[in-house]
């Protein structure tokens, strides 16, 4: 994952599910702890660091198991879209 991120150097990352969130943000990156929040992530590179913004969202498989979670996932994806467009998102941005 980190090698791929170093190649792509994304400006924005949407982590689908708690495992993906924890992989980038540590133990506090679970969906329950971080949904609706924007985190600054420093991607370590050989030539220095690359900053990107990270959000978490419930995993689509969770929606398949519990269709009542679809509005939650949809609202999070909309917030991520706003972030990418440079629009304000729901909660203030947090540093990681």
């Amino acid at each position: 994952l980190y090698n791929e991120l170093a190649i792509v150097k994304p400006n924005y990352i949407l982590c689908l599910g708690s495992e993906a969130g924890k992989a980038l943000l540590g133990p506090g990156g679970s969906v329950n702890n971080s949904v609706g929040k924007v985190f600054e992530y420093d991607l370590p590179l050989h030539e220095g660091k690359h900053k990107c913004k990270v959000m978490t969202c419930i995993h689509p498989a969770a929606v398949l198991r519990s269709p009542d979670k679809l509005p939650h996932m949809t609202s999070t994806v909309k917030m991520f879209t706003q972030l990418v467009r440079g629009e304000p998102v729901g909660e203030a941005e947090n540093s990681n």
Side-chain angles (χ1 to χ4, degrees):
L1 171 66
Y2 299 106
N3 289 336
E4 290 175 7
L5 291 174
I7 292 168
V8 175
K9 297 177 188 158
N11 293 320
Y12 304 95
I13 299 173
L14 179 62
C15 297
L16 298 177
S18 287
E19 293 304 314
K22 290 180 203 175
L24 287 183
L25 304 173
S30 71
V31 172
N32 291 336
N33 292 336
S34 59
V35 72
K37 298 177 183 174
V38 179
F39 296 88
E40 287 273 334
Y41 179 73
D42 288 329
L43 180 63
L45 303 173
H46 293 295
E47 64 272 6
K49 292 183 180 179
H50 174 75
K51 288 193 179 291
C52 59
K53 295 187 180 196
V54 178
M55 288 184 70
T56 63
C57 180
I58 62 172
H59 196 282
V63 175
L64 289 175
R65 290 190 297 273
S66 301
D68 60 307
K69 294 182 178 182
L70 180 60
H72 177 70
M73 182 179 147
T74 303
S75 68
T76 305
V77 172
K78 284 181 183 178
M79 286 191 333
F80 183 72
T81 302
Q82 289 174 315
L83 176 69
V84 171
R85 290 180 178 165
E87 300 169 6
V89 293
E91 290 193 24
E93 295 184 17
N94 298 308
S95 294
N96 186 18

